């Protein structure tokens, strides 16, 4: 139950020679959970420096961008996310980064850019959750026909309850609007 203590212990393990990117990623996440964003940022920066290009470093940089956005630094957050999207191209982390970029764009009111990120995620994935989120984002951006194209690939029975609800509501409205 002591997230900060756990994070500090993980950092001590890293300093003692753990040499494991997962240790730094977990430490950063635990600092965030405990409400210590500056310590989390330092752990994520250390992760990116020591283990560049690893899946954990990509996740840490996405977390840095999310912290920047939560602190009102939208420009820096978007730059970090765009950089991560380029770095993650053709990697197993690509879809995760694109979804995070799409979420951030939606949160910042950049619906067209968010829709593009979700469009790219839908093109790279067959996961029903990814497709459901992509369709909802496309509908939100007013891209009704494109959202319906993605919707044809979705089995709503394989979605989580929250995603299924959002998808089915938006899909119903989209069917009325799209040709």
């Amino acid at each position: 139950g002591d997230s900060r203590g756990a994070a500090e212990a993980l950092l001590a393990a890293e300093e003692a020679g753990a040499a494991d990117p997962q240790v730094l990623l977990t430490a950063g996440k635990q600092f965030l959970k405990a409400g210590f964003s500056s310590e989390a940022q330092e752990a994520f920066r250390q992760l990116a420096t020591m283990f560049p290009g690893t899946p954990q470093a990509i996740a840490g940089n996405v977390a840095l961008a999310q912290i920047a956005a939560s602190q009102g630094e939208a420009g820096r957050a978007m730059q970090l996310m765009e950089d991560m999207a380029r770095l993650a191209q053709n990697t197993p982390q690509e879809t995760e980064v694109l979804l995070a970029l799409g979420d951030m764009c939606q949160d910042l009111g950049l619906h067209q850019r968010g829709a593009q990120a979700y469009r790219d995620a839908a093109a790279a994935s067959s996961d029903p959750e990814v497709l459901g989120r992509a369709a909802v984002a496309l509908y939100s951006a007013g891209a009704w026909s494109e959202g319906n194209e993605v919707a044809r690939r979705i089995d709503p029975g394989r979605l989580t309850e929250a995603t299924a609800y959002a998808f089915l509501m938006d899909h119903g409205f989209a069917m009325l609007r799209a040709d």
Side-chain angles (χ1 to χ4, degrees):
D2 180 8
S3 295
R4 183 175 186 182
E8 289 171 346
L10 289 166
L11 286 181
E14 181 60 35
E15 289 173 11
D20 182 356
Q22 189 62 45
V23 170
L24 288 171
L25 179 62
T26 304
K29 288 180 177 182
Q30 290 302 312
F31 276 128
L32 275 181
K33 185 177 178 181
F36 294 91
S37 66
S38 61
E39 288 89 343
Q41 289 177 64
E42 183 55 37
F44 294 139
R45 284 188 196 109
Q46 186 177 352
L47 171 61
T49 301
M50 293 175 65
F51 303 99
T54 63
Q56 293 87 351
I58 291 171
N61 280 322
V62 167
L64 280 171
Q66 292 167 333
I67 292 168
S70 72
Q71 294 175 340
E73 298 176 39
R76 187 168 77 91
M78 285 302 299
Q79 186 60 51
L80 280 167
M81 288 305 300
E82 293 288 350
D83 290 347
M84 284 303 97
R86 279 189 292 281
L87 283 174
Q89 281 182 329
N90 301 317
T91 70
Q93 294 75 35
E94 181 178 23
T95 302
E96 178 186 329
V97 171
L98 288 170
L99 290 174
L101 174 60
D103 289 346
M104 183 174 291
C105 290
Q106 294 289 67
D107 291 345
L108 295 172
L110 304 170
H111 298 292
Q112 293 300 323
R113 179 59 187 107
Q116 183 59 50
Y118 282 114
R119 196 177 290 119
D120 294 344
S125 179
S126 60
D127 181 277
E129 279 296 305
V130 171
L131 297 175
R133 290 173 63 189
V136 168
L138 289 167
Y139 294 146
S140 174
W144 307 105
S145 295
E146 288 178 273
N148 282 339
E149 286 177 33
V150 173
R152 284 189 204 86
R153 298 172 48 201
I154 299 171
D155 173 5
R158 295 186 59 210
L159 298 173
T160 63
E161 195 171 290
T163 303
Y165 176 78
F167 167 70
L168 292 171
M169 290 294 291
D170 288 350
H171 184 60
F173 287 117
M175 288 173 48
L176 296 172
R177 295 178 184 244
D179 181 5

